[in-house]
Amino acid sequence: MRQPVLADNHVPSFAISLTIVLGIGVGIDYACSLPPQCAAAASGVFMTMDIALTVVGLLLVALAVRDIWASVLHPDAEGVFAKGIRRGTWRLATASGARLPRWRRHLLALAGPVIIALTFIAWILLIILGLTLVVYPMRDEYVAVPDTGELTFLDTLYYVGGTVTVLGYGDIFPVSGTGQMLALVSSALGFTMFTGMASYLIEVVTGMTTRNRFALAIHDGVRGSSGAVMLADCLAEDGVGAARHRCQDWAGHLRSVDELVHRYPLVAFTYRSHRREYDPEPALRHAAEATVAALVAARSTPGLRGAASELASALTRLQTTIAENYLSSELARRLAVAAPDDRDGQSVARVGLLVAERAGDHSGERPEVDEHAATVVHRSRILLDGLKQWTRGDIDDHDWDV
């Protein structure tokens, strides 16, 4: 059973926080319009609120910067808001696709762009709202042209939005040294943020190309059959050298995808195409089948052992990375302590018979079960079941289970 993901609550929490902050701003504007005698009586309260607003604003900015830093710059982390938006959007897309099967692929194809857009919007709003709460208590240090009196909360929001986005219309500007320095910091923060987001998009596009090449390479390699059949035919028809090269080539693809999932979990498996051959799940299934076939064949073909082990290692690492980033911690734990059973051994035996038959051995003698191959079978079953639940879609079983 998948564990509940608390991070999904960040999406509604962010919307609620935004509403509260805007409500506070409107309330302060109303309080400032009270008669002088009432305002004087509440001056102490206003001062306390100004300090509170400044603290809250700085916290919002810090949260946004931390989220951007973790998602864009850190090699081993993902921001809290980014993760919450990714999980919430993906769950909505898969749930809607399950109810509307005809539109499922279209909905999943929209999930990736929506995740990116919502994440970027959340970062921008967090920084703008945070800086607005910092600037608003200093509204006496700003001047509007033409002079319309003391700045309102919406005036401050407008000014900060123009400063962070580096537009700066010039109709509101600071007259104090503190305000000018804050404007400089806000502009630098905004410019850095937008530059980072642009670089992130470029890297994401490159990463998606890597993942698509992986999926297409395996799709074209199996040619409608299975990974085990592909590897067995390659070994029988082209020899050990070709089979070894194929294993090393696929291992390279798996490592590239592992780095993509590890570095960009926001989109690595959630950015989908309308075309089925670009889906990563069938490619992972065929890669697992080929890995088991390679490990079985390597028992009688010493020249294939190194490449088979390399392919198995790359597959195992990618399976763990996928489970840690997209599935549950319980499933990741099951992968870590995988203990193959008799069913897994029987699957390995079936693959062994297939490899022997393709090589011309039709004796039907059951080969000895390879424990490493049985472990790969067990792990691959666990991961495939998890991906079926995660995508809420129809994913074919491994060839050894058909």
Side-chain angles (χ1 to χ4, degrees), residues 31-46:
C32 290
S33 66
L34 292 173
Q37 58 273 25
C38 296
S43 60
V45 176
F46 288 162

Side-chain angles (χ1 to χ4, degrees), residues 33-318:
S33 66
L34 292 173
Q37 58 273 25
C38 296
S43 60
V45 176
F46 288 162
M47 184 175 296
T48 303
M49 289 187 65
D50 284 348
I51 296 174
L53 286 176
T54 302
V55 172
V56 172
L58 292 173
L59 287 175
L60 287 178
V61 173
L63 283 174
V65 171
R66 171 66 176 81
D67 216 68
I68 296 171
W69 174 77
S71 301
V72 177
L73 299 177
H74 199 285
D76 300 309
E78 184 179 18
V80 174
F81 287 101
K83 182 184 293 185
I85 290 171
R86 169 174 64 81
R87 288 178 167 173
T89 304
W90 181 254
R91 286 192 170 186
L92 178 62
T94 54
S96 301
R99 295 184 179 182
L100 302 169
R102 182 178 178 182
W103 298 97
R104 179 178 177 274
R105 299 202 64 83
H106 296 277
L107 292 169
L108 293 186
L110 285 174
V114 169
I115 289 171
I116 289 287
L118 289 180
T119 301
F120 285 2
I121 290 172
W123 289 342
I124 294 169
L125 289 181
L126 277 173
I127 287 182
I128 290 178
L129 283 175
L131 289 173
T132 299
L133 294 180
V134 173
V135 170
Y136 187 72
M138 303 165 51
R139 55 193 175 277
D140 294 337
E141 303 175 26
Y142 291 80
V143 174
V145 178
D147 188 2
T148 56
E150 189 176 71
L151 298 183
T152 65
F153 184 80
L154 293 180
D155 290 334
T156 309
L157 183 63
Y158 162 78
Y159 162 76
V160 171
T163 304
V164 170
T165 55
V166 203
L167 295 175
Y169 295 108
D171 49 348
I172 300 176
F173 56 90
V175 294
S176 68
T178 302
Q180 291 168 350
M181 291 303 299
L182 186 57
L184 182 62
V185 171
S186 300
S187 299
L189 183 60
F191 179 79
T192 303
M193 175 181 64
F194 285 109
T195 302
M197 289 191 299
S199 300
Y200 186 81
L201 280 177
I202 294 173
E203 292 175 356
V204 163
V205 171
T206 303
M208 290 302 97
T209 301
T210 299
R211 195 203 69 188
N212 290 340
R213 285 177 178 171
F214 155 73
L216 289 178
I218 293 184
H219 177 270
D220 295 342
V222 299
R223 298 186 298 276
S225 59
S226 71
V229 171
M230 182 280 304
L231 195 285
D233 286 346
C234 182
L235 182 61
E237 298 172 4
D238 302 322
V240 177
R244 181 170 57 245
H245 176 75
R246 182 64 61 90
C247 289
Q248 292 170 342
D249 183 52
W250 281 23
H253 283 299
L254 291 172
R255 283 191 290 267
S256 297
V257 175
D258 175 72
E259 176 61 23
L260 174 67
V261 176
H262 179 74
R263 183 68 182 83
Y264 304 109
L266 192 66
V267 292
F269 262 49
T270 57
Y271 223 96
R272 299 287 175 133
S273 171
H274 294 286
R275 297 166 58 181
R276 293 184 62 87
E277 59 264 33
Y278 287 97
D279 288 350
E281 290 83 12
L284 286 170
R285 174 168 55 86
H286 292 315
E289 295 163 352
T291 301
V292 173
L295 290 171
V296 170
R299 292 181 66 89
S300 58
T301 311
L304 192 60
R305 289 176 185 171
S309 297
E310 179 183 351
L311 180 59
S313 177
L315 177 67
T316 298
R317 186 186 304 108
L318 177 56

Side-chain angles (χ1 to χ4, degrees), residues 292-293 295-300 342 344-357 361-371 373-374:
V292 173
L295 290 171
V296 170
R299 292 181 66 89
S300 58
D342 291 340
D344 302 318
Q346 293 171 2
S347 297
V348 172
R350 282 194 289 271
V351 174
L353 288 174
L354 170 67
V355 172
E357 290 175 0
D361 181 1
H362 300 284
S363 64
E365 183 179 349
R366 293 175 65 89
E368 184 179 350
V369 174
D370 183 271
E371 288 298 324

